[in-house]
Amino acid sequence: MFQKQNIKKLAPVALAFAFLGGTSFAAYEHFSKPDTISNWVENNMPVVKARLDNKNTGDNVAMIPADFSFASQKATAAVVHIKSTLKPERNVSQMQVPDELKEFFGGRSPFGQDGPQGQGRGEKAQASGSGVIINPDGYIVTNNHVIQGAESLEVTLADKRTFKAKVIGSDPNTDIALIQIDAKNLPALSFGSSENVKVGQWVLAVGNPFNLTSTVTAGIVSAKGRSINILGENSKAPVESFIQTDAAVNPGNSGGALVDLNGNLIGINTAIASQTGQFAGYSFAVPSSIAHKVVEDISKFGSVQRGYLGVGISEVDGAKVKSYDLKVNEGVRVESFAEQSAARDAGIKIGDVITKIDGHLIESVPQLQESIAQHKPSDKVNVNVNRDGVDKEVTVILKSNTGTLVAEKSAQTLDNLGIELQDLTTQQKRNWDVEQGVIVSQINAGKVRQNTDMQDGFVITKIDKTPVGNVQQAMKALEGKKGGVMIEGVYPGSQETQYYAIGL
């Protein structure tokens, strides 16, 4: 969908950690405007009555829309074309399709990339995608993979005006990003409720496939809560609960709008399932319940405030029912706990089957992820579990990934940078002739990967000229950092000091 090569390799996850969160799904002042025609479809839309059964002479008939023009006009006015100029070292994305999924995707990117354009000598590669205006003041939601690794972003509106865009923030865990252009009084889409979307209902996909601007395709929702394991190694705690549709989506559609027949935003088109890299029957969108939460957090806090249950889970199936003598056939079974687990503190036990979150049925891991992804640390959620045939309701107070009731600013900065740190051992200090520092044990999606050539194993000795001797000191040095940070250190076996200046 996004015209750029590759996706970072990931391994399918048998046990998914349900650590995701945000504020509850509701319209909020900064982004959403009331829809003055919320009942337009039901009251005014032309329909054709098509009988499903020739013997049916009553009023029980299918209603097939005869005209999608209202929703199309509303959506196309707010969908933009995004052109990104890529940094030279980021012309080829580090994301790969896992071997286990190559048959499903035909060995190609599920984002539908056809490859960067303009890779001749002396030229910088360019890629393109789509975005959706969600606020008249120029705020645009798109996919993280559309803006990842971009040196600059150019946005073209439906009226052909062009603007330079700045990145406000992004979340690799959901593949959602928020950017802004310097413009006012723009047409904007309101977030609709993806929770109320039903399998079989009509939807429209709006975007810029193959650089064909303002393209609209129609289809139905063919499934909800779909996980296709494409975000894993590009994020630390991926949330995949896609809306699956059969509306045609192709390279360039990434970040575009999936709307209902009121023209309300119910999803952000993200990926396709294809043997050829082009549309072959199915496409996938991040539901608005997740996208709304991410952009709200980014706009208010600068990063996503994510709540965690702190459990390792797996889906209940026939084999598990038999193996564990479970008394329910649907739900997710608690297999393990994180070190600081909100669920364990609330009384949930290993072997419990989670069947509901806040009254909503949970039948799969993606459903649980989507439910928790709408909450932030300190939010209370009601969790129904089945324990040895007995139903229990437990109130869980969600925590951050560090086990606190608030999202720590230093942890947010680390997530923004996309790095994981470990203390140096005495042996490592001796072998590498380093007095103090912390080692970058892993580099995930984030500012470091986008803007530098830092490699795993780099030893950070100073942050903004402040010496760091352990992870705790590094976290303290990063706490509350804004604007940028200077990281200083060495690679094992080298005495040459390296410097990385990174914008935040």
Side-chain angles (χ1 to χ4, degrees):
M1 289 164 43
F2 174 51
Q3 291 175 284
K4 178 180 169 185
Q5 274 188 335
N6 292 335
I7 290 185
K8 186 173 176 64
K9 187 174 180 182
L10 58 93
V13 181
L15 286 180
F17 272 86
F19 290 142
L20 309 164
T23 54
S24 59
F25 179 82
Y28 58 95
E29 180 179 1
H30 187 61
F31 286 110
S32 185
K33 300 180 69 176
D35 184 0
T36 59
I37 48 174
S38 59
N39 295 319
W40 188 88
V41 171
E42 289 81 356
N43 296 333
N44 298 295
M45 188 167 194
V47 296
V48 174
K49 293 184 177 181
R51 299 191 180 280
L52 300 178
D53 189 336
N54 290 333
K55 296 179 181 180
N56 186 353
T57 59
D59 293 328
N60 186 21
V61 295
M63 309 297 280
I64 301 177
D67 189 353
F68 298 111
S69 61
F70 170 76
S72 297
Q73 291 172 8
K74 184 178 176 181
T76 53
V79 172
V80 304
H81 184 216
I82 300 175
K83 182 171 69 175
S84 62
T85 300
L86 306 178
K87 297 180 180 67
E89 70 272 16
R90 296 293 173 246
N91 285 353
V92 177
S93 170
Q94 299 181 39
M95 296 186 292
Q96 305 286 336
V97 179
D99 292 338
E100 296 86 349
L101 295 178
K102 285 184 177 178
E103 182 177 353
F104 182 49
F105 292 115
R108 299 174 181 268
S109 162
F111 293 165
Q113 290 98 326
D114 276 350
Q117 305 298 315
Q119 297 186 73
R121 181 176 297 177
E123 295 181 345
K124 293 182 179 180
Q126 293 184 332
S128 65
S130 303
V132 186
I133 302 170
I134 55 173
N135 179 273
D137 293 334
Y139 286 92
I140 297 167
V141 63
T142 184
N143 284 138
N144 175 68
H145 74 263
V146 169
I147 58 94
Q148 184 175 355
E151 184 175 76
S152 64
L153 297 171
E154 182 182 87
V155 170
T156 302
L157 306 183
D159 62 11
K160 309 303 181 185
R161 289 184 292 164
T162 61
F163 298 86
K164 293 296 183 182
K166 64 179 180 180
V167 177
I168 303 300
S170 63
D171 180 37
N173 290 319
T174 57
D175 199 21
I176 292 295
L178 181 66
I179 65 176
Q180 187 183 23
I181 60 176
D182 186 13
K184 303 292 184 182
N185 301 317
L186 298 178
L189 292 186
S190 297
F191 282 97
S193 175
S194 56
E195 295 177 348
N196 294 333
V197 170
K198 291 180 170 43
V199 173
Q201 82 171 63
W202 284 97
V203 291
L204 303 181
V206 186
N208 305 281
F210 306 118
N211 288 316
L212 299 173
T213 59
S214 301
T215 297
V216 181
T217 57
I220 64 167
V221 174
S222 52
K224 292 179 64 179
R226 186 73 81 194
S227 176
I228 53 176
N229 294 317
I230 62 170
L231 301 181
E233 283 193 12
N234 198 42
S235 59
K236 291 165 53 177
V239 183
E240 291 195 16
S241 186
F242 295 121
I243 298 173
Q244 178 182 312
T245 79
D246 65 356
V249 169
N250 277 295
N253 269 113
S254 279
L258 185 71
V259 300
D260 61 21
L261 296 189
N262 275 323
N264 292 324
L265 187 64
I266 59 172
I268 300 298
N269 295 316
T270 298
I272 58 177
S274 171
Q275 296 288 328
T276 65
Q278 300 175 9
F279 181 72
Y282 300 107
S283 57
F284 303 91
V286 177
S288 60
S289 61
I290 292 176
H292 176 280
K293 156 70 167 72
V294 170
V295 297
E296 181 183 29
D297 279 1
I298 288 173
S299 69
K300 288 183 177 180
F301 308 110
S303 62
V304 179
Q305 308 294 292
R306 188 160 277 124
Y308 292 78
L309 275 177
V311 292
I313 54 176
S314 64
E315 288 184 16
V316 171
D317 55 20
K320 282 191 174 60
V321 170
K322 186 176 180 179
S323 297
Y324 296 107
D325 191 26
L326 301 180
K327 308 304 180 185
V328 289
N329 296 316
E330 292 180 330
V332 294
R333 185 176 185 271
V334 177
E335 305 287 355
S336 61
F337 292 115
E339 184 175 347
Q340 301 290 336
S341 172
R344 180 175 56 197
D345 290 349
I348 292 176
K349 298 181 178 181
I350 290 177
D352 285 353
V353 176
I354 298 174
T355 57
K356 291 181 182 179
I357 299 289
D358 287 334
H360 298 289
L361 288 175
I362 299 299
E363 299 174 346
S364 65
V365 168
Q367 282 184 321
L368 187 143
Q369 289 181 321
E370 183 176 356
S371 294
I372 299 302
Q374 298 176 47
H375 295 277
K376 65 181 183 301
S378 79
D379 278 356
K380 294 181 180 180
V381 294
N382 294 321
V383 181
N384 288 82
V385 300
N386 184 281
R387 182 182 300 163
D388 298 325
V390 178
D391 291 323
K392 297 178 178 291
E393 184 175 299
V394 180
T395 299
V396 180
I397 301 176
L398 300 178
K399 297 182 179 182
S400 71
N401 61 343
T402 58
T404 66
L405 295 179
V406 295
E408 296 178 3
K409 292 182 179 180
S410 56
Q412 294 172 28
T413 303
L414 278 182
D415 283 343
N416 197 17
L417 291 172
I419 57 176
E420 297 182 24
L421 305 177
Q422 290 182 357
D423 290 337
L424 289 175
T425 66
T426 302
Q427 188 64 40
Q428 287 173 328
K429 292 177 183 179
R430 184 181 302 114
N431 291 344
W432 300 337
D433 193 22
V434 176
E435 291 184 4
Q436 63 178 14
V438 294
I439 189 169
V440 178
S441 58
Q442 185 169 326
I443 299 177
N444 304 305
K447 299 293 186 180
V448 167
R449 175 181 289 176
Q450 292 176 17
N451 301 314
T452 77
D453 59 358
M454 184 187 293
Q455 301 296 313
D456 295 350
F458 181 68
V459 177
I460 298 175
T461 56
K462 293 181 181 179
I463 296 176
D464 283 343
K465 298 183 179 181
T466 300
V468 294
N470 52 48
V471 172
Q472 186 176 2
Q473 291 179 5
M475 297 278 282
K476 184 176 182 179
L478 289 171
E479 187 170 0
K481 288 291 183 183
K482 293 183 179 180
V485 63
M486 175 68 76
I487 294 178
E488 179 181 339
V490 298
Y491 285 97
S494 172
Q495 296 300 315
E496 182 180 357
T497 302
Q498 303 283 334
Y499 300 89
Y500 296 102
I502 306 165
L504 294 174

